[in-house]
Amino acid sequence: MNTSASSDVENASSAWWRTGVIDMSPGVIRYRGYAIQDLIGNVGFAQMIWLMLRGDLPTPGQGALLEAALMSAVDHGPQAPSIAIARMAATCGVGLNNAMASAVNVLGDVHGGAGEQAVALYHDAAARMDAGMSSEDAVRAALQEYVELNGKFVSGFGHRFHPRDPRSPRLLQLVDEAAARGEVSGRYAQIARAVEAELAVQKGRPIPMNIDGATAVIYAELGFPAPLARGLFCLSRSVGILAHAWEQTQQGGRNKGPIPRQYLPQYDGEAPRDLPAWAKKA
């Protein structure tokens, strides 16, 4: 093979995967241009997540907000499907990676996607305001379209377990403090609170913001696109998933299902019946 052809093959091979995330060659590892040896010991995990997703390091204030959002949603106990699945999988004889994968795989539109949907709702209201609508009209119109497309449950508001989610006020307080320092705009916190107020009017009772709505405020304030809110939640909840899978592994147990074996699921099928004569072997 001539030199030119060899060079073409080498270039084609190296360009098979193109990435701006990592530059790696023998003895060299750089993330987004930063040498790994410079990052180690100087950059925390939340900052590293920002770097990998956004291409540069966050300011200290941005990094602190991201870290608060990530740590606030790590766990919600075995009554959360993802945590329960991790524990059940651990009793089936699989390793931690399998238990974690089983759990992460159920973080879908209903359990895990609420933050993404809330960010999209906030972005929709903001876009309507940018187009000239008042904040009240923009929120009302965004809510109406959301309900028409997704149904009556508005992601990020209300909670099946907590009358008022204890995590949300603290997260919003951190956003308010960051806005006062000029680190974020505070716009999406205002929009989220307007959504909460409008829901109370429409429903005739308070529908408080939950963890998904509050972390969505932070992700929107920090400029993350809506789909990344779900990915960030997966990273966050993976911590709780790992902790519960490991705890269950230490506790032992075999083939633990979703309910104790002395409790049977309610049967609502056919009454007991005989096999038809034509189906019986002679």
Side-chain angles (χ1 to χ4, degrees), residues 24-46:
M24 189 179 66
S25 59
V28 175
I29 302 174
R30 290 182 178 271
Y31 296 112
R32 302 288 193 180
Y34 294 106
I36 184 62
Q37 60 267 30
D38 294 336
L39 294 169
I40 293 173
N42 291 311
V43 171
F45 191 50

Side-chain angles (χ1 to χ4, degrees), residues 77-165:
Q79 58 87 33
S82 56
I83 300 297
I85 286 171
R87 299 192 73 114
M88 285 190 289
T91 71
C92 295
V94 302
L96 286 176
N97 60 318
N98 298 100
M100 293 182 70
S102 298
V104 170
N105 278 336
V106 300
L107 296 177
D109 290 342
V110 175
H111 175 45
E116 175 182 354
Q117 294 150 12
V119 172
L121 172 62
Y122 302 159
H123 283 168
D124 184 17
R128 293 172 190 272
M129 292 165 62
D130 291 341
M133 295 181 71
S134 69
S135 59
E136 294 83 1
D137 290 342
V139 165
R140 193 174 297 116
L143 264 177
Q144 180 178 344
E145 182 167 325
Y146 180 95
V147 171
E148 289 173 355
L149 292 175
N150 301 287
K152 65 180 182 178
F153 294 105
V154 178
S155 294
F157 297 86
H159 202 287
R160 64 190 178 90
F161 188 82
H162 301 290
R164 182 172 293 275
D165 195 319

Side-chain angles (χ1 to χ4, degrees), residues 9 11 13 22 25 28 34 46 66 79 97 117 119 127 158 165 190 210 232 235 254 259 277:
V9 170
N11 289 339
S13 298
I22 185 171
S25 59
V28 175
Y34 294 106
L66 177 59
Q79 58 87 33
N97 60 318
Q117 294 150 12
V119 172
D165 195 319
Q190 294 174 357
N210 62 32
L232 290 167
L235 289 176
R254 294 170 57 87
I259 55 177

Side-chain angles (χ1 to χ4, degrees), residues 182-202:
E183 294 166 344
V184 295
S185 70
R187 183 187 198 194
Y188 292 101
Q190 294 174 357
I191 289 173
R193 287 179 169 122
V195 171
E196 186 178 54
E198 178 62 25
L199 282 173
V201 171
Q202 293 184 7

Side-chain angles (χ1 to χ4, degrees), residues 65 68-69 71-73 76 118 122 155-159 162-177 189 192-193 196 207-218:
L65 268 184
M71 70 77 52
S72 67
H76 200 243
Y122 302 159
S155 294
F157 297 86
H159 202 287
H162 301 290
R164 182 172 293 275
D165 195 319
R167 299 164 288 188
S168 302
R170 175 58 178 157
L171 290 174
L172 289 178
Q173 179 187 355
L174 292 175
V175 173
D176 292 342
E177 292 170 357
R193 287 179 169 122
E196 186 178 54
I207 309 291
M209 195 183 314
N210 62 32
I211 181 65
D212 298 305
T215 54
V217 168
I218 290 179

